[in-house]
Amino acid sequence: MFSLKVKDVTHQLGQNEQTLTASLNSWKRSKKVWFKTGPGPINQTIEPFLPVALIPAMRRNWNVRLAGAVSPSLLAGTDHIQQTIAAWYPSFRTVKIRAKQLDRAADTASRPVAAFFSGGVDSFYTLKKHADQITHLVFVHGFDVVLSDKAKRREFADNARSIADKQGLQLVEVETNLREFGDRYVSWLDAYCGAGLASIALLLSPRFETIYLPSSVSSEQLMPMGTHPDLDRYWGNGQINIVHDGLESGRFEKIEDIADWDLVSQHLRVCFQKDIDGLNCGRCRKCTWTMMVFEALGKLADIRTLPDQVDCTLIKEYPAQTISELDRITKSFQYLQASGRNKKLLDVLEKMVADGRQRIKARQEVGNVAPKGGLISRILRRYR
């Protein structure tokens, strides 16, 4: 069996910047993966590179060899992570991890609490929920915007910094090229996004006691995906607790909870489209569905970063594909129906709810007779 080797960890200090780099070497391929951030304590061991390497290694059935030491708690956690992912996705295999055990002194000192923050609905919900605890927001460059788009990255980071300043918080920016390595092997959303966030958490583990990772769905809507409550907390290394947050609420409830917050009206960013003017394009699936919920709540006109009207022709192009989406569109329809507003959108949503129920029911019925672990079954599970 081939091995994915992680070695040559180096820490370089620059002016107002520090970089942690390692070499990831697989069969006939070598990639330098790096993290850059500002001044402050960071984890200079090989630990932040373990999540980067492990998920692609599982997909390619490579053992992982680390030329450095890893905490026993992190090594133990990866056993659970591997078992969980392999149970979800038959194409992923459990692999061996070879590394020395890190003898880290117990740290009993109280440290700050942080939250990953992109500027979206889930981020704002977690920030509001834990406003009495959170002291830092962590904004990551290189995940949802390519590193080469420096202007757009700066615009989004400035938006996050403005939010932090208004809340009296500190913003920590981290830049990484880890997706340039992982995207070659695995799907970001299905298997890798949680590992990517975990690598950032491990990098910042000397600085924070806890970091919140906002959930994108409620507990009733959970499905196999890269960030998940059965995965995220197991990436901890004994220094930092990674908390998958917000499972008690779906997207509709989260928007309802933050809809009156002036920070949201000024700074909400939900769009991941390329080549857009401003924070949101106002026409993609994420933008349109977010606008739908705000309109159902009677709050869309207050959101300055999105158009003030839902395009009823456009929204028909984005039918409900998952139980989570069906829940959101059903509640939007019910709220609009009760308010008596926007009859045109109400009629569109009524048909979309009926079509969505039929579509998802048909998929579930086919899934019940599909061979377990087969391609059809896996696709159906992805859309439930």
Side-chain angles (χ1 to χ4, degrees):
M1 180 185 291
F2 292 110
S3 292
L4 176 56
K5 300 175 183 178
V6 185
K7 61 182 183 178
D8 301 332
V9 177
T10 60
H11 178 242
Q12 184 176 2
L13 282 172
Q15 187 175 9
N16 298 319
E17 182 180 81
Q18 55 185 322
T19 305
L20 190 72
T21 305
S23 178
L24 277 68
N25 301 302
S26 59
W27 186 61
K28 293 186 178 181
R29 292 188 185 277
S30 179
K31 177 70 176 178
K32 292 283 188 182
V33 174
W34 47 260
F35 303 93
K36 295 180 182 179
T37 190
I42 64 169
N43 184 350
Q44 298 179 29
T45 74
I46 207 166
E47 286 183 332
F49 299 96
L50 176 52
V52 179
L54 179 58
I55 307 304
M58 291 181 64
R59 181 63 182 86
R60 297 303 297 266
N61 197 22
W62 292 332
N63 288 332
V64 178
R65 300 176 67 93
L66 302 168
V70 177
S71 71
S73 58
L74 177 55
L75 285 174
T78 58
D79 288 341
H80 176 89
I81 289 166
Q82 289 199 72
Q83 293 293 336
T84 301
I85 292 177
W88 288 346
Y89 304 123
S91 60
F92 285 70
R93 308 292 181 85
T94 59
V95 299
K96 294 180 180 179
I97 300 173
R98 301 189 183 278
K100 296 178 181 178
Q101 289 202 7
L102 180 63
D103 185 14
R104 177 182 283 127
D107 186 357
T108 58
S110 178
R111 283 169 288 136
V113 174
F116 285 111
F117 194 86
S118 66
V121 169
D122 303 318
S123 295
F124 271 112
Y125 178 83
T126 288
L127 175 57
K128 182 181 178 185
K129 176 182 172 183
H130 299 287
D132 60 335
Q133 300 177 34
I134 294 171
T135 57
H136 294 69
L137 302 180
V138 177
F139 182 88
V140 183
H141 296 263
F143 281 2
D144 54 359
V145 180
V146 294
L147 291 171
S148 59
D149 193 347
K150 294 183 179 180
K152 186 55 65 176
R153 289 200 290 117
R154 179 45 47 201
E155 180 182 3
F156 292 166
D158 287 346
N159 183 61
R161 186 170 298 281
S162 179
I163 295 165
D165 289 345
K166 290 176 181 178
Q167 287 294 103
L169 307 175
Q170 296 184 47
L171 183 72
V172 177
E173 295 183 54
V174 180
E175 184 177 331
T176 180
N177 70 336
L178 68 85
R179 284 200 66 174
E180 294 177 3
F181 171 77
D183 284 354
R184 181 185 297 273
Y185 304 105
V186 292
S187 162
W188 175 249
L189 291 177
D190 285 343
Y192 204 44
C193 58
L197 290 164
S199 70
I200 305 298
L202 291 169
L203 179 78
L204 300 175
S205 59
R207 196 177 308 187
F208 302 121
E209 183 174 317
T210 297
I211 188 164
Y212 287 108
L213 195 164
S215 176
S216 58
V217 296
S218 69
S219 56
E220 291 81 9
Q221 300 158 353
L222 279 172
M223 58 185 175
M225 58 193 306
T227 172
H228 193 283
D230 287 343
L231 299 177
D232 297 339
R233 64 192 177 99
Y234 291 96
W235 288 115
N237 64 350
Q239 274 193 316
I240 192 166
N241 300 310
I242 304 172
V243 179
H244 189 101
D245 183 69
L247 285 169
E248 69 281 357
S249 297
R251 187 62 55 84
F252 188 96
E253 289 77 19
K254 287 183 177 181
I255 293 176
E256 185 177 25
D257 186 73
I258 65 173
D260 291 322
W261 197 0
D262 190 48
L263 269 184
V264 173
S265 70
Q266 297 178 50
H267 298 286
L268 182 68
R269 178 179 81 91
V270 299
C271 188
F272 291 160
Q273 297 300 304
K274 300 177 181 178
D275 302 322
I276 63 173
D277 293 326
L279 298 177
N280 302 292
C281 73
R283 296 189 60 81
C284 70
R285 187 183 192 90
K286 286 199 71 176
C287 285
T288 303
W289 276 67
T290 302
M291 292 161 59
M292 172 192 71
V293 177
F294 276 110
E295 175 63 15
L297 296 169
K299 300 292 183 180
L300 180 57
D302 298 333
I303 307 301
R304 303 172 200 173
T305 62
L306 288 166
D308 59 5
Q309 292 185 356
V310 178
D311 186 327
C312 290
T313 300
L314 181 62
I315 198 171
K316 294 177 185 178
E317 299 179 12
Y318 304 128
Q321 300 283 3
T322 66
I323 290 176
S324 172
E325 289 182 346
L326 181 59
D327 174 76
R328 204 182 327 163
I329 201 170
T330 300
K331 288 174 180 174
S332 296
F333 168 75
Q334 292 170 342
Y335 269 62
L336 270 182
Q337 189 177 46
S339 71
R341 293 180 292 101
N342 204 332
K343 180 67 164 55
K344 184 178 180 181
L345 179 59
L346 181 68
D347 292 342
V348 171
L349 295 187
E350 183 175 21
K351 187 175 189 309
M352 290 180 69
V353 168
D355 291 346
R357 287 172 177 166
Q358 290 182 350
R359 183 180 301 106
I360 291 172
K361 180 181 179 182
R363 283 177 170 156
Q364 290 174 332
E365 289 174 349
V366 174
N368 288 335
V369 298
K372 185 177 181 181
L375 176 61
I376 294 176
S377 178
R378 296 202 302 275
I379 292 173
L380 292 171
R381 286 201 303 271
R382 179 67 181 87
Y383 283 102
R384 287 181 183 175

